[in-house]
Amino acid sequence: MKKIISILIAGCFFTACDIERLPYTDLPAENITTDPNASMDALLNGAYAQLKTWSDVMHRCGEYAGDNMMIRGTSTDDFYEFISYSRTPNNYRLQSFWDNSYKAIAQASNIVKLVAEGQSAEIDHKLGECYFIRGFLYFYLCRAYGRPYYQNPETNLGVPIVNGTPDDIFGSLPDRSSVKETYEQVLSDLEKAADLMSISNGPAYASREAAWALLSRVYLYMSGTFNNPNREYALLSVKYADSVINSGTYRMLSRDEFMKYNTLTPEQNDETIFAVKRVASEFSGYDHYYGIGGMYGNIGGMGWGEMYASAKYIDLLNETGRNDWANNKIVDARAAFIEPQYVTDGKTVFRFIKNVYSSAGDHTNFNYVQAEVTVSGNTATCMEKKDDDTLFYSLTPIDREQGIWSIDYEDGKTYTGVIDPEMKLNRVYPMFYITKCSREGEDSHLHSPVITRLAEIYLNKAEAAAKAGDYATALTALNMVRERSLPGEGYASLDASNAESLIEKERTLELAFQAERSYDVYRNGRPLIRRYPGPHNAMEEVLPNDYRTIYFIPQNAINAYPAGSTLTQNPASN
């Protein structure tokens, strides 16, 4: 009987020019060995197809657990656990993330097992793509389910290493490898991928430079904290960042081009190194509601529009100068991906954030206030209706030209805010839409999730060089990113006293809504602080050694392990 390898190709068939749908497929093993070049295409495209569904949860579990966004209220959807840090092992989204990762790993590994190297440059390149997909996914799995590398990687658990469909699918399966062992697998796969790949088919496909880009990030994750860096790994991160930069394959977009980054397809974008390609034909009707961008805004009548840029992120965007969206005055180019929703013919208001207190007088949260304002010459007053009373306040100018004022509020606190048109509210929160994950090809919420791009590589180099003590190199790399968005505002100096704060700031601003933020916080030993309005616990600091900084292994995956095998769960407490 023929040995049949059943590979689920659930998504799309990729070519160098376009993407088309393929059905489920079964391929006899001898077809692969007799005509490997033709047969590998279908199998490899099946692995790429898994990334489409995978990338949705990848984004949510990486971004929602950070501090760049907030949600208008609680939700019954399982993604709310990512925001609230109420971790459970029965989360269907994390189950999807786990399943799609291991399906793609199995598909890529099966090709590697069946096809010999050295037959042609084209076949070797495709084998390199398989190694890339496998190493890339082990890394993403390990950072979601395994603790940061600086925290005892020899003993902390990573994920199971299962390279291909087992010969006996009913036999034993391995338990989780250590974080160190998982990273060793990642490095081995990515280095092998870089050695084998020699062809460029564009950013929708793996390439040698894409492998180098991920190697730069992986070694950065291994480079320790700023307080206790690992210089050897930091220098390797710099090495691979330089390999990408010096390849000449990519360029930093100009400021004007970058402000439209989200509208460009991967093939149009000279800065994108690797992205998970999506096309409009994969969505029908109201499917765009359920894309990544659908929670961040309502565009063209599509989307829930229930998650907004956090006040913390807005403040960071405004740090160098206020971005006046209402008058189309963008200071920081990264503010182009935020679109405040204003009330048509609304009032002029003084908008600020106040403390919220419990009945016992304890500070428990924060909330926005939009108080109708009147400006007369050099003076401004605002009024706020409270129950049956109307309270009047005089405002003090901080920067009149930018519309920044302060208020001595009724609770005895002084708050800073802005004079601006009234914004629409969802419940009690102003709607700061996020468009970085929408409008690709100007099509509603179409978005091809970006895995690596050149700006990140410069930021990797900046952080790694700083950890290695080379502050001059770090400063040059950091300002490559900063001055693109803030011309003339490059940092004058970088040293041990400010490197961590300045590099973190630029990574936060630049990589927001690319699923990097929560991992960046914890891998450098920092706590997550979310002191801004929202239904989350705003007074809590989530420490980097908290058990909730990583996710539970899906219970269904544990239950599916055969008798005699163990898949160890993450701890349920500190």
Side-chain angles (χ1 to χ4, degrees):
M1 181 181 293
K2 293 182 180 180
K3 179 181 178 184
I4 300 296
I5 301 172
S6 297
I7 301 294
L8 175 63
I9 301 183
C12 299
F13 181 73
F14 294 84
T15 70
C17 300
D18 61 357
I19 298 177
E20 301 172 4
R21 289 187 180 273
L22 266 189
Y24 296 93
T25 200
D26 291 328
L27 293 177
E30 59 265 30
N31 284 7
I32 298 175
T33 56
T34 58
D35 188 9
N37 197 40
S39 302
M40 285 175 73
D41 284 337
L43 296 177
L44 183 56
N45 290 329
Y48 277 112
Q50 297 294 341
L51 300 182
K52 294 175 182 288
T53 304
W54 167 89
S55 64
D56 179 278
V57 187
M58 176 277 294
H59 176 93
R60 297 179 197 274
C61 67
E63 195 63 47
Y64 293 4
D67 54 7
N68 294 325
M69 49 71 64
M70 54 83 63
I71 189 171
R72 63 155 193 175
T74 58
S75 173
T76 57
D77 192 291
D78 278 6
F79 66 56
Y80 190 67
E81 290 185 5
F82 309 157
I83 302 169
S84 66
Y85 279 74
S86 54
R87 305 292 187 235
T88 70
N90 296 304
N91 185 303
Y92 83 91
R93 291 189 180 273
L94 287 174
Q95 182 73 52
S96 170
F97 179 67
W98 180 275
D99 290 347
N100 282 288
S101 296
Y102 274 105
K103 285 177 184 177
I105 287 169
Q107 289 169 347
S109 297
N110 286 338
I111 298 171
V112 168
K113 284 182 175 181
L114 289 164
V115 179
E117 293 176 30
Q119 299 181 61
S120 70
E122 189 173 3
I123 288 176
D124 280 358
H125 180 83
K126 290 173 183 176
L127 287 170
E129 290 181 83
C130 294
Y131 281 107
F132 173 86
I133 290 170
R134 190 169 76 184
F136 151 58
L137 289 174
Y138 276 134
F139 172 61
Y140 272 73
L141 282 166
C142 192
R143 72 177 192 171
Y145 297 106
R147 301 209 65 81
Y149 195 85
Y150 79 93
Q151 297 178 10
N152 304 315
E154 296 86 1
T155 54
N156 285 330
L157 294 180
V159 294
I161 304 299
V162 186
N163 291 334
T165 305
D167 293 333
D168 179 4
I169 61 174
F170 300 105
S172 62
L173 289 174
D175 198 354
R176 297 164 66 187
S177 298
S178 69
V179 167
K180 184 175 186 291
E181 291 166 337
T182 308
Y183 270 70
E184 287 171 348
Q185 176 73 44
V186 171
L187 294 172
S188 174
D189 281 345
L190 292 177
E191 288 164 357
K192 181 73 170 179
D195 287 342
L196 286 171
M197 288 189 285
S198 60
I199 300 168
S200 178
N201 291 318
Y205 303 89
S207 64
R208 178 181 58 187
E209 291 82 6
W212 288 339
L214 273 179
L215 282 164
S216 173
R217 191 195 300 173
V218 173
Y219 277 117
L220 187 69
Y221 272 57
M222 298 171 68
S223 68
T225 66
F226 280 89
N227 291 333
N228 187 23
N230 183 306
R231 190 170 186 272
E232 176 188 357
Y233 293 143
L235 289 174
L236 285 167
S237 179
V238 172
K239 169 192 167 183
Y240 283 110
D242 279 338
S243 294
V244 176
I245 293 165
N246 296 334
S247 73
T249 308
Y250 312 97
R251 69 175 179 90
M252 291 283 283
L253 299 183
S254 69
R255 174 183 163 91
D256 288 343
E257 289 173 317
F258 175 66
M259 291 168 73
K260 299 176 182 177
Y261 190 104
N262 57 316
T263 69
L264 303 176
T265 65
E267 295 83 3
Q268 296 172 320
N269 198 321
D270 292 340
E271 190 170 321
T272 300
I273 301 169
F274 182 64
V276 178
K277 174 70 174 177
R278 306 304 306 266
V279 292
S281 62
E282 294 168 2
F283 300 90
S284 62
Y286 281 81
D287 285 357
H288 274 306
Y289 265 82
Y290 300 94
I292 291 170
M295 287 304 298
Y296 292 148
N298 183 296
I299 297 173
M302 296 285 183
W304 306 102
E306 295 179 3
M307 291 182 180
Y308 314 121
S310 70
K312 185 175 183 178
Y313 188 70
I314 296 294
D315 284 347
L316 202 58
L317 284 172
N318 289 329
E319 187 178 88
T320 305
R322 181 190 167 195
N323 296 280
D324 185 354
W325 286 279
N327 292 301
N328 199 31
K329 295 179 181 177
I330 301 298
V331 176
D332 190 320
R334 294 161 292 207
F337 307 120
I338 308 299
E339 295 184 4
Q341 301 299 293
Y342 291 104
V343 175
T344 303
D345 299 324
K347 304 182 291 286
T348 299
V349 300
F350 178 62
R351 186 169 52 254
F352 65 99
I353 294 172
K354 67 176 182 179
N355 295 346
V356 174
Y357 300 93
S358 69
S359 57
D362 298 323
H363 182 192
T364 59
N365 212 317
F366 303 86
N367 209 348
Y368 285 93
V369 175
Q370 294 194 112
E372 186 173 354
V373 71
T374 300
V375 180
S376 177
N378 294 325
T379 64
T381 59
C382 69
M383 65 176 187
E384 182 186 16
K385 292 184 179 180
K386 279 206 163 185
D387 299 324
D388 295 329
D389 295 330
T390 301
L391 305 178
F392 292 89
Y393 300 94
S394 294
L395 304 181
T396 301
I398 294 177
D399 188 326
R400 188 179 289 105
E401 183 178 351
Q402 294 194 71
I404 303 173
W405 300 67
S406 68
I407 184 172
D408 293 328
Y409 198 54
E410 63 169 347
D411 61 2
K413 304 290 185 181
T414 299
Y415 301 112
T416 298
V418 296
I419 292 177
D420 201 33
E422 181 182 13
M423 283 183 62
K424 296 177 183 178
L425 303 180
N426 192 330
R427 296 188 179 174
V428 295
Y429 303 114
M431 299 161 65
F432 287 95
Y433 279 0
I434 300 160
T435 62
K436 200 173 186 181
C437 302
S438 303
R439 291 209 177 101
E440 184 176 315
E442 303 294 349
D443 188 351
S444 185
H445 292 298
L446 183 61
H447 174 61
S448 296
V450 176
I451 303 301
T452 50
R453 59 186 176 93
L454 189 57
E456 183 214 337
I457 304 308
Y458 278 109
L459 291 169
N460 292 352
K461 181 177 179 178
E463 180 178 331
K467 286 178 174 176
D470 185 354
Y471 295 107
T473 295
L475 178 63
T476 300
L478 188 63
N479 279 339
M480 279 291 296
V481 177
R482 179 171 174 81
E483 292 195 15
R484 191 253 300 273
S485 288
L486 290 161
E489 296 293 339
Y491 298 116
S493 63
L494 199 73
D495 56 36
S497 69
N498 65 1
E500 180 173 9
S501 62
L502 297 185
I503 291 168
E504 180 194 9
K505 181 198 303 182
E506 294 307 315
R507 286 189 72 91
T508 303
L509 285 166
E510 186 71 22
L511 303 181
F513 319 114
Q514 289 182 214
E516 298 297 322
R517 175 60 181 159
S518 62
Y519 302 115
D520 273 354
V521 170
Y522 298 129
R523 69 176 175 81
N524 269 316
R526 293 187 293 262
L528 181 74
I529 300 172
R530 299 184 291 174
R531 293 203 171 95
Y532 53 79
H536 59 277
N537 184 351
M539 309 313 294
E540 178 185 38
E541 291 189 14
V542 183
L543 299 178
N545 58 352
D546 193 297
Y547 78 97
R548 296 169 300 166
T549 62
I550 58 175
Y551 295 104
F552 284 121
I553 303 297
Q555 190 60 45
N556 285 346
I558 293 175
N559 295 343
Y561 254 48
S565 299
T566 299
L567 180 56
T568 303
Q569 182 59 277
N570 281 322
S573 63
N574 290 333

